[in-house]
Amino acid sequence: MTTAKDIMHAGAQWIPAHETLDRAAQLMRDLNVGALPIADQQERLCGILTDRDIVVGCVAMGHDPAKITCGDMAKGTPRWIDAGADVGAVLEEMQSHQIRRLPVVENKKLVGMISEADLAKGLTDEQLKAFCESVYAPS
């Protein structure tokens, strides 16, 4: 059985909710990633910040990314998957919520992220086709 841990990109890092968006952008650059899980003071997932969130939700709105926190951008219910979940559960979570990145948690700790690129390497052509149809379909 293929699990979330088998297909994830290990070594994902949190960004604390109190950090500013300019710091998040620097961390994304340094890690060469396009998204960061946002953690509250208890290191619980409270959202995911993407590079697009910073550009569209802050910069394009005329706001200063040095004055807006990651927590300010956290919206909705954060989604995640247990490291031991099978690939079917991963696909169900991502498809049903139309999300492109999914944090992987083991023993209440962030251990990785699953992105579209990870799926492309770990899925059959049929699974990948179904994922793309459901995630990229208009809501």
Side-chain angles (χ1 to χ4, degrees):
M1 171 180 79
T2 302
T3 66
K5 194 168 189 173
D6 296 329
I7 63 171
M8 73 179 191
H9 179 83
Q13 285 188 240
W14 299 106
I15 187 145
H18 68 270
E19 286 285 358
T20 58
L21 297 184
D22 62 336
R23 177 65 190 117
Q26 293 163 0
L27 187 56
M28 286 180 190
R29 177 201 60 211
D30 295 347
L31 297 172
N32 194 31
V33 298
L36 292 169
I38 304 168
D40 65 14
Q41 291 180 329
Q42 290 76 37
E43 288 196 352
R44 291 179 304 198
L45 180 67
C46 63
I48 294 182
L49 179 70
T50 67
D51 47 7
R52 188 174 194 285
D53 293 333
I54 295 170
V55 172
V56 174
C58 178
V59 176
M61 301 298 287
H63 301 296
D64 182 353
K67 295 182 179 173
I68 305 292
T69 69
C70 296
D72 293 335
M73 299 298 286
K75 296 180 180 118
T77 302
R79 311 305 307 179
W80 57 273
I81 195 85
D82 185 85
D86 71 28
V87 72
V90 170
L91 289 172
E92 173 61 28
E93 186 69 19
M94 293 177 82
Q95 289 172 318
S96 64
H97 298 284
Q98 291 188 305
I99 55 177
R100 299 176 184 151
R101 296 171 181 102
L102 187 64
V104 180
V105 175
E106 186 174 55
N107 299 320
K108 299 184 181 181
K109 297 288 183 193
L110 179 70
V111 293
M113 289 279 281
I114 297 174
S115 69
E116 300 154 305
D118 299 316
L119 291 177
K121 290 184 248 174
L123 299 179
T124 67
D125 289 344
E126 293 79 26
Q127 288 172 313
L128 194 55
K129 179 179 183 276
F131 171 80
C132 290
E133 288 174 348
S134 63
V135 171
Y136 295 106
S139 353

